Amino acid sequence: MNDDVSQIGHHIAQNCLAVRFRLLHRLLTKLYDDALRPFGLRVSQSNILVALEHHGPIRGIDLARILRLDASTLSRDLERLIAKQWVCASRGSGRSQYLEVTPLGKSLIEQTAPAWSRAQNAARDLLSESLADRIISVVDQLWASDDAEPSAASPPNGNASRPVASPETSASESPRPPATESGKLAISDPQSE
């Protein structure tokens, strides 16, 4: 039995995608957080700010759905963004509140864009251009598949429930083939399957 457990442990340690993506998440988050720290912003807060600018004004529950965040995670970051007057909440119909970026928040987005671009370039260098493009493509496909499902409420401005594309890519660009040199974390191209 101990040999079986040892083999199972070895197999999981050698093949677990979750542990590898969690490592990548920590490395990439550090790149962006370090770049945005001089502005008093973390990448998680920047993502919310940019999504609000793109989709807002929008209800918090709809923003959580778009960003695939649980309500408590979103609430913590929103509290900080509101306290710094980068986001404001305004009354909607009934009990709902709509969130939107303030002029101060819009200025912050503009000020942080060069730092974000440097972090984005460093992340693409770390991953490789082809793997970065493939990850973006796969995640976009996942978002698109979720968009096909009916939702309880859509944003008041009618924007699609998708995050903003990066400045380096557009929805019309086709992704490059996946990295295959090392064989690690290569994401298969569904078009070739």
Side-chain angles (χ1 to χ4, degrees):
M1 175 145 161
N2 284 341
D3 286 341
D4 289 342
V5 172
S6 179
Q7 288 176 344
I8 291 168
H10 178 76
H11 176 74
I12 291 171
Q14 293 297 312
N15 296 291
C16 184
L17 290 173
V19 75
R20 284 160 177 78
F21 274 98
R22 289 174 62 90
L23 172 62
L24 275 176
H25 175 265
R26 288 190 298 272
L27 291 171
L28 294 174
T29 297
K30 183 174 177 359
L31 281 175
Y32 288 92
D33 281 350
D34 288 350
L36 297 172
R37 186 171 294 114
F39 302 94
L41 194 64
R42 292 190 336 257
V43 70
S44 59
Q45 296 164 336
S46 176
N47 291 340
I48 292 168
L49 200 59
V50 169
L52 275 174
E53 176 58 23
H54 181 68
H55 296 285
I58 188 172
R59 297 180 315 162
I61 193 167
D62 295 322
L63 181 62
R65 181 180 44 81
I66 289 167
L67 294 174
R68 310 318 191 256
L69 293 173
D70 63 75
S72 64
T73 300
L74 179 62
S75 290
R76 275 191 306 275
D77 279 333
L78 273 175
E79 285 173 9
R80 292 177 183 123
L81 295 172
I82 290 170
K84 293 182 178 185
Q85 299 179 344
W86 295 331
V87 171
C88 68
S90 59
R91 274 269 189 246
S93 60
R95 296 184 331 168
S96 63
Q97 287 189 330
Y98 285 90
L99 302 164
E100 62 184 305
V101 179
T102 65
L104 193 59
K106 290 174 192 245
S107 175
L108 181 67
I109 292 170
E110 189 174 28
Q111 291 170 28
T112 60
W116 177 89
S117 291
R118 285 190 299 277
Q120 180 81 350
N121 290 335
R124 292 180 76 81
D125 289 345
L126 175 71
L127 295 171
S128 82
E129 289 291 320
S130 60
L131 183 55
D133 288 343
R134 192 68 202 124
I135 290 170
I136 289 169
S137 176
V138 168
V139 172
D140 284 351
Q141 289 172 21
L142 292 171
W143 266 311
S145 68
D146 278 355
D147 286 342
E149 297 176 18
S151 64
S154 59
N157 64 3
N159 286 339
S161 296
R162 297 182 51 139
V164 182
S166 70
E168 291 84 15
T169 62
S170 71
S172 63
E173 289 179 328
S174 59
R176 297 179 196 168
T180 57
E181 293 170 15
S182 69
K184 293 183 181 177
L185 293 174
I187 299 173
S188 68
D189 185 352
Q191 295 172 350
S192 66
E193 292 177 355

